[in-house]
Amino acid sequence: MQGWRGLAILAALLPGPAGVANAEREAVLKQVDLPHTYYWRELYIPQLTTGPSSAVFTPDGKALIYSMGGSLWRQTIGFDEAVELTHPIGAYDYQPDVSPDGRSVVFSRYNGAGLELWRLDLGTGGEQRLTSGDAVNVEPRLSPDGKRIAWVSTQGTGHFNLFIADIGPDGLRNARPLLGERQSKISRYYYSTYDHALNPSWTPDGKRILYVTNNEVAWGTGDIWSVAADHPSDRRKILSEETSWSARPEMSPDSKQVLFASYHGRQWRQLWLTTPDGVAPLPLTFGDFDLSSARWSPDGERVAYVSNEGGNTSLAVREFIGGATTKIVAKTRHYKSTQARLTLDIRDEQGRSVPARVAVLGSDRRAAAPTSSWMHADDGFDRALQASETHYFHCPSLCTLEAPAGDTAIWVQHGFRYLPWRQTVKLAAGENRAVPVKLHLNDLPSSFGRWRSADLHVHMNYGGAYRNTPEHLAKQTQAEDLDAIYNVIVNKEERVPDIGYFRGTPDPAGSAETLIMHSQEFHTSYWGHLGLLHLSDHMLTPDFSAYQHTALASPYPFNGVVADLAHAQGALVGYVHPFDWAIDPPKEESLSNELPADVINGKVDYIEIVGFADHKSTAEIWYRLLNLGFRLPAGAGTDAMANYASLRGPVGMNRVFLDTGGELSPAALRKALKEGRTFASNGPLLGLEVEGKHPGDTVGRKTAGKLRFRIALRSPVAVDHLELVQNGRVVKAFALKGDRRNFDTAGELQVDTGGWLVLRAWNDGSDPQVLDLYPYATTSPIYLDLPGGPSSVPSDADYFAAWLDRVVADAGSRADYRNDRERNATLDYLRNARDRFRSMSH
């Protein structure tokens, strides 16, 4: 670290203003060939957490070696001192396994490109790389005699496969896939068509390996199996189990029991026991929190595991008989490098203490955070601008952390109304450094509206590393300068993690300035996901339909039925994260999204124009619907899994601003959203006024002509394009100069036909300060009641008629309706909607 080059390189590693043309984000670990990266990455791949993430007993059973904060640590059980064993530059270490002789540790190291296996000599501290190629290599497990190693790798295929090799002083020899590739015949939604094999562990005699695979399993990561290490054709299923990536079965040292983690019909993962013959499992532990990564002690009398009972991850050792538990807490930490203490004091423009999102990158090119904070990681990054994804935490205004001495880069962000605060400080060894942070307001003029911001799509708990609560969710909300969150409760496979929190009124954990509301996402990936906001009485169950190969395989109820049930409770119904590409009906391989049918039947109250989808593609389809006269407000929702360590954006990354006159209440938010008094954004703030009217209003004129307009832009990041769009066409583009974060203008616009008008801002490529695909914002429409209308109406109507032709054909080909009544009701609804679109084109 003495020779580290400092400011210039640190600035390149911590997200800053985009300086590269056509900057593009790519998924973290893009080499993995699996769908839905935000699931397997969080649920399976080790993540950077300030608390422990995995542990193993030393051979004498007296100590644990575990991963914490991206380093490996050793701690004697019953003592509170931990010694750091590894601290790589620009990388993070996970998943240790100790050799039977206690002399070395194998582990997995992440460097931003891939995960490789390494070995640490505990005597000398020397490190040896065991794999190469930037594949994903995880879960290393040494055989009982220490001569072989099993692990999971994506090498060569992009799929998670079980590998085995001999291991000696020179490294690995004869490394090979143990099982090979197998493609299941069953269709899957969340998983590859190719089976995976993961969670390996050796039987005590060293002859077999336990693992988890999903042979012909549609949902969940599959069943617990074993395979003979020397005869891979000898495979046996032990237990059919709806596991979720982290079962990690391990046989007891006496070979009598198999310990594994499972939610097994519950909402949270606990530890369960079966036998090598797969008898009905019984729980070892209980609680409304997760226990995972369990390991037997060498004598089989204790179990070490990771828990999120306190919210963050923690480590404990439990006596198998009696259940007495010893918490492993590193009160005193002995680091490999000299540390300094950094205290941030964050205040707004009036000097008031405010919480905020913070990213700190140390001189070791590693993220740093207070030991009690939840560390989060972005889901993608531009490799031309950063070596690894951004890690961040939420600071409650005043926070203290330890970081290595040297140049330390700091980024502070408090929502969209404040400019990012950035500074690099040089920390001296042993220093206690206080850094004041003063945020600068960059807000819209109040004449454009009195806005409240809301994230319409957040999952408080969704199977992540942490255990979230309404109280903690409120703190996340406040740090992001967000006024309201809708926790849309939804299933994660068999579970509905937050169902116990549902209520028709705001959660009491909120406050007068922070609303937490529990709503619902109806989960059918066949028809399209729905947001059901402001349900007044109860959640709609089942929470999903069209789950093939289950007892709820029928595509009934379709979304129109669900919308009616929600509206009966006074709820608003929206289509969430709609489209990742512009839909071209004749060219789609299959098409079942029900949006056009529900819009023409008056079932849709809003659309997430800014959300977990491609904003421009979604807007293109939205424009076509607006052209046909449908009044559809712009909503926004992050789809943030707020208890994830590898997060799909912080809460409020995609948010809607609602002109409520400044009021913050469920009724005011509902009214503003329903009336379209909104703009949706992942950064830029937009103000639009036409003839004194604002989004959601109607400008009425008997003749065409010039309309007076006034606009404003305020943005935390530079904006490439600011445009007025009428009836789907750009009618005026504004030239932005300087830092492109502030713009005000007024003028006249020649308007020859009626229809609608929106103001939008967008960038050609990504900006690393916006943890999304690219900066984008749009107002809801101002409607123009003038003679004439959009010229594209016939072609837009034909477009949706062709769309629904495809949906009718696909829905009609299904044979899994429960009865003819369901089938006929579904097809009649779709055909009627298609025919109504056809009639609009003439």
Side-chain angles (χ1 to χ4, degrees), residues 108-434:
S108 184
R109 173 170 289 174
Y110 172 61
N111 63 1
L115 287 104
E116 304 290 3
L117 301 188
W118 286 70
R119 179 166 55 185
L120 169 70
D121 187 308
L122 290 171
T124 66
E127 297 180 359
Q128 178 186 27
R129 185 169 178 166
L130 299 176
T131 62
S132 60
D134 285 337
V136 174
N137 297 279
V138 291
E139 298 192 281
R141 297 298 293 268
L142 293 163
S143 62
D145 61 7
K147 296 180 179 180
R148 292 195 286 184
I149 184 173
W151 78 99
V152 174
S153 179
T154 61
Q155 183 70 44
T157 67
H159 309 133
F160 293 119
N161 290 319
L162 187 58
F163 277 63
I164 191 171
D166 301 320
I167 184 169
D170 296 331
L172 303 186
R173 300 184 307 277
N174 193 27
R176 63 200 184 278
L178 184 61
L179 303 176
E181 289 270 274
R182 180 184 181 277
Q183 192 169 16
S184 279
K185 298 177 182 178
I186 199 167
S187 59
R188 296 179 177 133
Y189 182 73
Y190 291 116
Y191 303 89
S192 169
T193 59
Y194 289 90
D195 296 345
H196 54 232
L198 40 87
N199 297 166
S201 68
W202 294 82
T203 56
D205 60 10
K207 295 181 178 180
R208 302 187 70 85
I209 296 173
L210 304 183
Y211 66 104
V212 170
T213 188
N214 60 341
N215 297 20
E216 307 305 325
V217 174
W219 305 95
T221 40
D223 305 323
I224 298 174
W225 288 64
S226 77
V227 59
D230 295 320
H231 303 282
S233 61
D234 178 5
R235 308 177 194 180
R236 307 171 191 169
K237 181 190 291 189
I238 294 176
L239 185 70
S240 292
E241 173 67 23
E242 181 78 1
T243 57
S244 185
W245 291 107
S246 56
R248 295 196 165 89
E250 179 167 291
M251 192 172 289
S252 59
D254 60 12
S255 301
K256 299 293 181 64
Q257 296 162 315
V258 175
L259 176 70
F260 64 99
S262 174
Y263 47 84
H264 206 69
R266 302 174 177 182
Q267 310 298 0
W268 298 88
R269 291 194 310 271
Q270 290 287 310
L271 304 183
W272 293 74
L273 292 165
T274 184
T275 68
D277 296 324
V279 299
L282 290 174
L284 178 64
T285 61
F286 304 84
D288 291 331
F289 47 85
D290 287 323
L291 301 185
S292 59
S293 301
R295 299 292 298 265
W296 290 102
S297 63
D299 60 7
E301 297 298 325
R302 292 170 295 168
V303 173
Y305 56 80
V306 174
S307 170
N308 63 15
E309 182 176 5
N312 200 352
T313 62
S314 62
L315 184 60
V317 173
R318 177 189 178 97
E319 299 292 332
F320 183 74
I321 302 299
T325 301
T326 301
K327 294 183 178 180
I328 309 299
V329 180
K331 293 183 179 179
T332 301
R333 303 185 185 194
H334 300 286
Y335 291 91
K336 286 177 66 67
S337 60
T338 304
Q339 301 288 295
R341 289 172 62 85
L342 171 66
T343 298
L344 300 177
D345 184 2
I346 305 171
R347 297 180 181 271
D348 66 10
E349 76 287 358
Q350 298 182 34
R352 298 171 300 189
S353 295
V354 292
R357 174 175 14 111
V358 177
V360 175
L361 195 71
S363 61
D364 56 358
R365 290 184 285 156
R366 301 193 343 157
T371 57
S372 61
S373 294
W374 293 12
M375 183 73 89
H376 298 291
D378 193 8
D379 67 342
F381 64 101
D382 183 347
R383 284 154 173 82
L385 301 178
Q386 295 176 242
S388 184
E389 70 271 26
T390 299
H391 292 86
Y392 57 89
F393 60 93
H394 289 121
C395 173
S397 178
L398 193 69
C399 53
T400 299
L401 58 95
E402 291 185 291
D407 292 324
T408 304
I410 309 166
W411 169 31
V412 179
Q413 187 73 53
H414 182 56
F416 302 170
R417 299 185 305 130
Y418 290 86
L419 296 176
W421 185 95
R422 307 175 62 82
Q423 188 171 316
T424 297
V425 299
K426 190 175 188 66
L427 300 178
E431 179 185 16
N432 283 300
R433 180 73 171 271

Side-chain angles (χ1 to χ4, degrees), residues 730-752:
V730 176
V731 292
K732 190 170 185 63
F734 301 94
L736 302 178
K737 299 179 180 179
D739 65 6
R740 309 196 314 277
R741 298 191 297 189
N742 293 267
F743 186 78
D744 296 274
T745 194
E748 292 185 328
L749 183 69
Q750 179 66 35
V751 177
D752 297 322

Side-chain angles (χ1 to χ4, degrees), residues 109 169 172 257 359 383 439 458 470 511 515 563 578 632 756 811 836:
R109 173 170 289 174
L172 303 186
Q257 296 162 315
R383 284 154 173 82
L439 300 175
V458 170
S511 66
L515 281 185
L632 295 168
W756 54 272
R836 291 173 65 186

Side-chain angles (χ1 to χ4, degrees), residues 562-579:
V562 174
D564 286 344
L565 293 171
H567 283 145
Q569 293 191 45
L572 298 182
V573 176
Y575 266 76
V576 303
H577 52 69
F579 304 107

